[in-house]
């Protein structure tokens, strides 16, 4: 696993990062899993201060990517909003409250 530079990232991931940052996400990390035999090419991880902020970040990411005709195959954890996973096949987005992220 390696961290990526901005130039290496597909546009959908850059849109997701901008959307998360617009909602004050922090500790944003992209892991490049290409060539690792993983089920996805990238993980995008970010943190939030609480459940409401997690939902706001998830809503912003899904809305902005939907406007680009990119829809997730699955969203998990939205109701509890401690750790939400958004599966876009090539990228899996993880949005955590900071306490949950530090635990995992």
């Amino acid at each position: 696993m390696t961290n990526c530079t901005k130039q290496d990232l597909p546009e959908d991931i850059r849109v997701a990062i901008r959307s998360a940052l617009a909602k004050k996400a922090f500790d944003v990390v992209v892991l490049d899993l290409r060539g690792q035999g993983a089920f996805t090419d990238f993980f995008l991880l970010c943190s939030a201060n609480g459940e409401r902020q997690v939902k706001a970040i998830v809503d912003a990411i899904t809305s902005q990517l939907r406007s680009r005709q990119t829809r997730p195959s699955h969203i998990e954890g939205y109701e509890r909003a401690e750790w939400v996973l958004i599966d876009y096949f090539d990228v899996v987005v993880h949005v955590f409250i900071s306490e949950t992220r530090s635990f995992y």
Side-chain angles (χ1 to χ4, degrees):
M1 283 183 294
T2 60
N3 285 341
C4 298
T5 63
K6 186 176 179 181
Q7 297 81 6
D8 297 335
L9 299 176
E11 184 61 23
D12 281 346
I13 296 174
R14 288 186 276 186
V15 168
I17 292 168
R18 285 193 301 269
S19 300
L21 291 173
K23 295 299 179 181
K24 309 292 188 221
F26 57 94
D27 292 337
V28 178
V29 176
V30 177
L31 300 176
D32 185 347
L33 304 173
R34 295 174 292 186
Q36 303 295 318
F39 59 90
T40 188
D41 290 339
F42 297 95
F43 272 174
L44 168 58
L45 299 97
C46 63
S47 297
N49 287 315
E51 291 87 358
R52 283 182 53 190
Q53 187 182 15
V54 167
K55 287 183 176 184
I57 293 166
V58 170
D59 292 346
I61 291 170
T62 56
S63 174
Q64 288 300 308
L65 289 177
R66 188 178 312 114
S67 72
R68 295 177 46 80
Q69 308 304 314
T70 303
R71 300 189 189 288
S73 66
H74 182 71
I75 299 176
E76 186 173 323
Y78 188 85
E79 291 305 314
R80 289 197 59 195
E82 292 179 7
W83 174 6
V84 178
L85 179 144
I86 315 167
D87 186 351
Y88 285 103
F89 295 113
D90 292 341
V91 62
V92 176
V93 178
H94 299 268
V95 184
F96 297 91
I97 58 171
S98 54
E99 296 84 13
T100 301
R101 183 170 177 181
S102 66
F103 180 79
Y104 289 102

